[in-house]
Structures are given as structure tokens and as C-alpha cells.
Amino acid sequence: VGLRDLNETSGAFGWTAIGVSVALGVFGLEIYERSNLTKAQLVFWLGQKLHPGLPLYNNGLGLVIPMRLEPEHFRRAFSHLVRGSDALRTVIEVRDGVPQQRANDAGAYTMDVVDFSSTTAPMAAFDAWAEERIQKVLEFGECLFDSALVKLADDKFVWYLNQHHVI
């Protein structure tokens, strides 16, 4: 099993973290005291709010699975994992001007299954697809992760997982 890191380090993250830390120090004590987010989560939340159109805090990876598997079984297993994980079901909502986290109801999550096995360069197709998909801004009030199973061949898959750093 191999791991492919899909993140690129950007100087923007460092400057954003510094700016957010200063903003928390100046403005955030009351918010921090009233929120149920940890200080680190509050820093990520505020940083994302300062840059709402940028996926600054996405953590993406691709786990290569060099074996045959049944995509529907994998999809169901991941859905079961999500139902049992408060962290994966975490959303952040603003109430009375203060961010609050909660776990969504344990509804079903349907993972996408993507098939690049018929392309001439399946891994290159995955790389291009993942590079575009990781740019998706994860919405605090909806779902703070994105996942897909990607078929490269009958006996080779990639599990794509992107989660916001706040979870």
C-alpha cells in the first residue's frame, strides 16, 4: 500500500496562520471562551473565514490499494466508518456570532467511485483529477471531508481522502 501526498506547501498558509493568531489575540478571547472549538480549530476556522474561496486547510491524500476489491463493499465500509465517527461528521455553525461544532446526524455518506481504468495513463488521469478536486473548498456547515474510490485497473485502486484541517 502506498501513500501519495496531494498537498502543496504554500507561503500563504504561514502568513495566514500568523495573521489569524494575531487576530485571535486581539479580538478572539471572547469568541474563544464562548466557542466549543479548540484554540487550534478556532485558528483554522478564522483563517478559512478570512479566505473563503481558497482551500488553504485541505489535507488530501491518495492511498494506493494494489489489489482487487469490490467498490460497493468499500463504499459501504466507508459509509459505516463515517456513521461511527463524530470527527468525520463534524460541522461548524455560527450561533450568536460564535462558531460551534457538532456532529451531524449519522446519515449515510455516499462515496464517489471514479473509473480511469480505460484511459491510456490511469495514474496521470488520477493525478489531474485529484489536483482539481482538492481545490474544492469544504463547507463548514455541510461536510468537512471529501472521499472517492478511484479505479486504475482491475487490481489497482486509489482511495482519495481530503479533509479540512479543522477536523
Side-chain angles (χ1 to χ4, degrees):
V1 177
L3 183 67
R4 296 176 55 92
D5 185 17
L6 302 176
N7 300 309
E8 290 187 23
T9 305
S10 166
F13 173 78
W15 286 110
T16 300
I18 290 168
V20 169
S21 296
V22 169
L24 274 177
V26 174
F27 303 108
L29 187 56
E30 180 186 348
I31 289 176
Y32 176 66
E33 290 174 346
R34 294 177 46 217
S35 177
N36 65 354
L37 273 63
T38 66
K39 188 177 275 187
Q41 286 176 312
L42 197 54
V43 167
F44 292 124
W45 176 83
L46 188 53
Q48 191 67 65
K49 289 299 181 181
L50 290 171
H51 303 283
L54 298 176
L56 292 176
Y57 304 108
N58 284 3
N59 277 325
L61 63 87
L63 185 67
V64 176
I65 305 170
M67 60 185 282
R68 290 183 177 272
L69 59 85
E70 176 54 49
E72 189 54 37
H73 291 163
F74 193 90
R75 179 187 273 171
R76 280 192 306 230
F78 187 72
S79 183
H80 181 75
L81 172 71
V82 171
R83 283 192 307 274
S85 171
D86 287 351
L88 289 174
R89 292 184 294 111
T90 294
V91 294
I92 299 175
E93 302 167 330
V94 177
R95 290 187 222 127
D96 298 323
V98 178
Q100 301 290 335
Q101 66 179 319
R102 68 173 179 82
N104 257 345
D105 293 336
Y109 173 80
T110 304
M111 172 190 293
D112 290 341
V113 176
V114 181
D115 188 347
F116 292 127
S117 63
S118 63
T119 65
T120 56
M123 187 56 88
F126 166 75
D127 288 340
W129 173 88
E131 186 175 318
E132 181 179 327
R133 185 138 171 173
I134 200 167
Q135 297 304 313
K136 174 185 172 186
V137 176
L138 301 170
E139 298 296 330
F140 283 116
E142 296 173 16
C143 187
L144 290 168
F145 71 90
D146 178 32
S147 188
L149 182 64
V150 180
K151 182 178 180 180
L152 302 179
D154 286 341
D155 60 352
K156 188 173 186 180
F157 291 80
V158 178
W159 175 35
Y160 168 85
L161 178 65
N162 176 23
Q163 64 184 40
H164 195 284
H165 209 74
V166 77
I167 61 169

